[in-house]
Amino acid sequence: RPTWQQTMLRIKDPAKTLPFYTDLLGFTLIDKFDFPQWKFSLYFLTTLPEGETYDLIPGTKEAHDYLWTMDGVALELTHNHGTESDPDFAGYHPGNKEKDGFGHIAVK
């Protein structure tokens, strides 16, 4: 039966964003894809069941296989290269104005 596998948020700076999700919210970085030719990277995080450890290296075939076969939901963070250092970058659509179509993501 179909299940929800992931949701995606765009991020400005992975050096700041990843520690927020991993250190403060308890997510685990399980996989990463880099697309230098298109100037973006994808980071996949999840919350692991209590007692479960994760020892795969993000970006490897084993991590890719885990991502696409795991039970649970992944949070995909998309980083467009250069946004972290562009002084003219105003940020992404916040989704918090009336009729924006996005409200929030809940973490349990």
Side-chain angles (χ1 to χ4, degrees):
R1 85 184 210 285
T3 61
W4 184 37
Q5 203 274 337
Q6 64 189 253
T7 192
M8 185 274 285
L9 295 174
R10 294 186 191 281
I11 62 170
K12 177 179 177 179
D13 188 345
K16 293 179 181 177
T17 305
L18 290 171
F20 172 78
Y21 283 97
T22 57
D23 298 344
L24 296 175
L25 293 181
F27 279 73
T28 299
L29 176 64
I30 57 171
D31 206 1
K32 179 183 180 200
F33 290 86
D34 289 308
F35 299 93
Q37 69 275 34
W38 296 304
K39 299 179 182 171
F40 75 96
S41 295
L42 305 175
Y43 301 87
F44 292 88
L45 302 103
T46 195
T47 54
L48 297 173
E50 189 172 329
E52 185 175 323
T53 59
Y54 186 81
D55 59 0
L56 300 177
I57 299 169
T60 63
K61 181 186 181 323
E62 294 79 15
H64 299 337
D65 291 345
Y66 178 87
L67 170 65
W68 299 115
T69 60
M70 69 177 221
D71 290 330
V73 178
L75 175 61
E76 174 189 334
L77 302 177
T78 299
H79 170 236
N80 292 306
H81 301 172
T83 55
E84 70 280 8
S85 59
D86 181 354
D88 297 323
F89 181 69
Y92 292 107
H93 189 279
N96 293 319
K97 294 181 181 176
E98 188 173 339
K99 299 183 181 180
D100 275 353
F102 177 83
H104 65 278
I105 292 177
V107 178
K108 180 179 176 186

